[in-house]
Amino acid sequence: MHSTGTVPKSAPASSETRPVPVEDPHGDTGRHARRFGLPVATALVMGNIIGGGIFLLPASIAPYGTVSLLAFGVLTVGAIALALVFGRLAARDPRTGGPYVYAREAFGDFAGFLAAWSYWITTWVSNAALAVAAVGYLDVLVPVGGHAWTACLAALALQWLPALANFAGTRYVGAVQLVATVLKFVPLLLVAVGGLFFFDPSRLGPFNSSGHGAVGAVSASAALLLFSYLGVESAAVSAGEVENARRNVGRATVIGTAGAALVYLLGTLSVFGTVPHDRLVTSTAPFSDAVNTMFGGSWGGTAVALAALVSMTGCLNGWTLLSAQTPYAAAKDGLFPAAFARRRRGVPTVGVAVTVVLSSLLTAYNYLSGSGQVFEVLVLVTTFTATVPYLLAAAAQIFHLVSGRGPVDRARLVRDSVITTVAAVFSLWLMAGAGYAAVYQGALFLFAGVIVYAILAARRQRGPAGAPEDARTADTTGSA
C-alpha cells in the first residue's frame, strides 16, 4: 500500500493526528439495544458462514471424488487460522469495524478505506445474491418463480424483512439470528449425524475421479469450497456490540468457524455415503435425496427447501447488520459520508437503509432485465472483494508482530507468526480462487473507491476553518 510509505509508524496510534473515536451515546443503550453475548456472537459467525450453499455443496464437489474431503480439511485449517488472527486483533482493538479498524490502525486512512469499501461492496451484492437464491427454495413451498415480477417481489421481501428486524434494534437482530441458526441446524444435523447410521461405503464412489493427480484434484475441489468460509469475520466486524469483546470475539470466531466446518464435513460425508455417486453428481437437491434414502418417501425436498429458506433468511439478517457496521466505523473517522455514523437502537440505520436499497436495485435489475449473466459476474466479483479485508487484517497482524516493542514471549511470537502466515496464505488462496476475470473486475470496483476516497479527503481538508478533526468528532457524538 502506498500509504505505508507516507504515514509514520507511530501515526496510526497517535491521538494527536487522529481523535479517539467517540461511541454514539445512544447506540448501545435503550430498550431495543443490547450487546451480544457469546452464544449470539457465535450464532452470528456460524449463521453467516453457513448460508444456502451447503444444500448444493455435496453435489458440486462429487465429480472430484472423495478426495474433495481432504480439501475440506486443508481449508478448515486456513479458516481457523484466520479466525485466530481476528481474535488476536479484536483483543488489541475491540471496536466495531473489524478489518477496517485493523487496517487503518496499522497502515493509515487509505488502507482502512479500501478495507471498508471492498467489504461494503461484498455485503450488498451478496445480499442480493442470497435473496435471489432463496427464491428458488421458496418456490418449492409457494409457487412464486413462474413470473419475473412475482419472483422479484419475493426476493425483495426476503431482503426487507431482515432489514426491518435490524431497524427494530440489536435486541431483535440477535434474537432472529439465534433462532434462525438453531432452526437451520436441526435438519442439517439430522442429515450430518443421522446419515452416519445409514452410511454405505459402496456408495462413496472413486477416491479421485477428476482426471488429475491427487494434489490437482484437491486444488480443483478447493476452488469450489473456498468461499464456503466467507463470514469468518462476522464477530470482529460487530465487536462494538459484543459483550467483553476482547475475550468473546476471538472465542465466538473460533467456535463458530469450527462448528461450521464440522457441519460442512459431516453433512457432506453423510450425503456421500447415502446417495449413490452416479446419482449424486447429477443431483440438484443432494440433501433431499439423502433424506429420502434414509427415511423413504418424497418429503425430503420440502423439508430441505424449508431449511434452506430459514438458513438464507438468517444469513440475510446477519449480513444486513454487517453491511452497515463497517461503513459506520469508517464514517466515524471521516472516511465515509457522515450519515453512515448515525445509529438508532444500536443499529447504523442509514447504512442498513442504503445497503438494502442498493441490493434491492441490483435484484430488480437482475429479474427485470433478464441479465442473469451480468448478475453472476457481479456475485463472483464479491469473492475477490471479500478477501481484500482478510488480507489487510492478516497484514496488520504481521505489522504488529514485526514492529512489537517491549518484552517478547518468544514461544507466543513463533505461534502467532505461524498462524498469521497461514491466514495470509489462505487469504491469497481465496483471492486466486476467484479466477482471473473476477480479480480483474474486482480490482476495477476497488479502484473506483479511490475516486470516492479522493473526494472525501478533499472535503475533509476543505472543511470549516478551525479543525475538521474536531468537527468530525462532533458529528459522531451528535449523530444519534
Side-chain angles (χ1 to χ4, degrees):
M1 292 292 174
H2 292 297
S3 59
T4 59
T6 57
V7 179
K9 287 186 179 180
S10 59
S14 172
S15 60
E16 295 180 1
T17 56
R18 279 193 196 92
V20 176
V22 179
E23 289 291 342
D24 180 351
H26 303 290
D28 295 319
T29 61
R31 194 161 51 89
H32 300 283
R34 176 181 292 174
R35 287 182 177 270
F36 300 151
L38 179 61
V40 173
T42 302
L44 187 65
V45 175
M46 293 186 72
N48 286 350
I49 291 177
I50 300 179
I54 187 174
F55 296 96
L56 292 175
L57 204 57
S60 299
I61 61 175
Y64 297 96
T66 53
V67 69
S68 56
L69 298 176
L70 295 179
F72 260 123
V74 174
L75 292 174
T76 299
V77 171
I80 290 179
L82 191 59
L84 289 168
V85 168
F86 279 124
R88 295 289 296 153
L89 289 168
R92 176 187 296 273
D93 193 341
R95 287 180 289 162
T96 292
Y100 157 75
V101 171
Y102 313 143
R104 180 173 181 264
E105 182 69 16
F107 308 123
D109 286 349
F110 185 61
F113 173 82
L114 286 182
W117 176 259
S118 59
Y119 193 76
W120 186 53
I121 291 173
T122 299
T123 53
W124 61 264
V125 177
S126 295
N127 279 1
L130 272 171
V132 170
V135 169
Y137 290 103
L138 177 63
D139 192 50
V140 176
L141 306 173
V142 181
V144 295
H147 192 278
W149 277 107
T150 56
C152 181
L153 290 174
L156 293 176
L158 287 168
Q159 292 176 69
W160 279 92
L161 287 175
L164 292 176
N166 274 265
F167 287 134
T170 52
R171 172 193 293 269
Y172 299 103
V173 175
V176 170
Q177 194 66 23
L178 194 57
V179 170
T181 301
V182 171
L183 288 178
K184 77 179 176 183
F185 273 108
V186 170
L188 287 176
L189 290 175
L190 173 65
V191 175
V193 178
L196 299 177
F197 294 95
F198 297 87
F199 191 88
D200 184 352
S202 66
R203 295 173 176 165
L204 289 174
F207 174 71
N208 182 2
S209 56
S210 67
H212 304 288
V215 174
V218 168
S219 297
S221 56
L224 296 174
L225 299 171
L226 281 171
F227 313 113
S228 301
Y229 287 98
L230 294 181
V232 65
E233 75 291 342
S234 302
V237 171
S238 295
E241 281 62 60
V242 177
E243 292 178 355
N244 191 10
R246 293 185 187 277
R247 176 178 174 85
N248 283 338
V249 166
R251 293 169 67 191
T253 303
V254 173
I255 295 171
T257 304
L262 183 62
V263 172
Y264 277 151
L265 185 58
L266 284 181
T268 303
L269 181 62
S270 294
V271 172
F272 271 31
T274 53
V275 181
H277 182 262
D278 57 346
R279 182 180 168 194
L280 182 60
V281 294
T282 59
S283 174
T284 57
F287 273 77
S288 296
D289 292 339
V291 171
N292 291 339
T293 301
M294 290 161 57
F295 303 109
S298 59
W299 57 273
T302 301
V304 171
L306 182 60
L309 193 59
V310 171
S311 175
M312 289 184 168
T313 303
C315 244
L316 282 166
N317 179 67
W319 278 107
T320 299
L321 176 63
L322 293 187
S323 69
Q325 296 285 33
T326 298
Y328 163 75
K332 285 173 49 181
D333 296 324
L335 300 181
F336 255 62
F340 283 85
R342 296 173 186 162
R343 292 205 299 183
R344 287 188 62 206
R345 299 170 175 175
V347 174
T349 50
V350 172
V352 169
V354 172
T355 297
V356 74
V357 167
L358 287 173
S359 63
S360 296
L361 290 174
L362 181 56
T363 301
Y365 174 77
N366 172 70
Y367 278 110
L368 304 180
S369 71
S371 303
Q373 187 175 5
V374 173
F375 186 76
E376 290 173 4
V377 169
L378 287 173
V379 171
L380 189 59
V381 165
T382 65
T383 60
F384 166 77
T385 58
T387 58
V388 172
Y390 291 177
L391 188 59
L392 285 170
Q397 177 68 348
I398 292 172
F399 171 83
H400 292 307
L401 291 173
V402 174
S403 63
R405 298 183 178 89
V408 176
D409 183 336
R410 291 188 177 275
R412 184 166 194 167
L413 178 62
V414 170
R415 183 189 65 193
D416 285 353
S417 299
V418 170
I419 290 172
T420 307
T421 300
V422 172
V425 171
F426 177 68
S427 301
L428 287 171
W429 194 14
L430 279 170
M431 195 174 290
Y436 292 108
V439 171
Y440 167 73
Q441 294 170 27
L444 293 180
F445 272 88
L446 200 61
F447 289 126
V450 175
I451 299 173
V452 177
Y453 177 80
I455 294 172
L456 291 172
R459 291 180 63 182
R460 288 201 309 275
Q461 290 189 8
R462 196 188 60 189
E469 299 283 359
D470 295 339
R472 269 185 293 180
T473 306
D475 283 345
T476 302
T477 56
S479 59

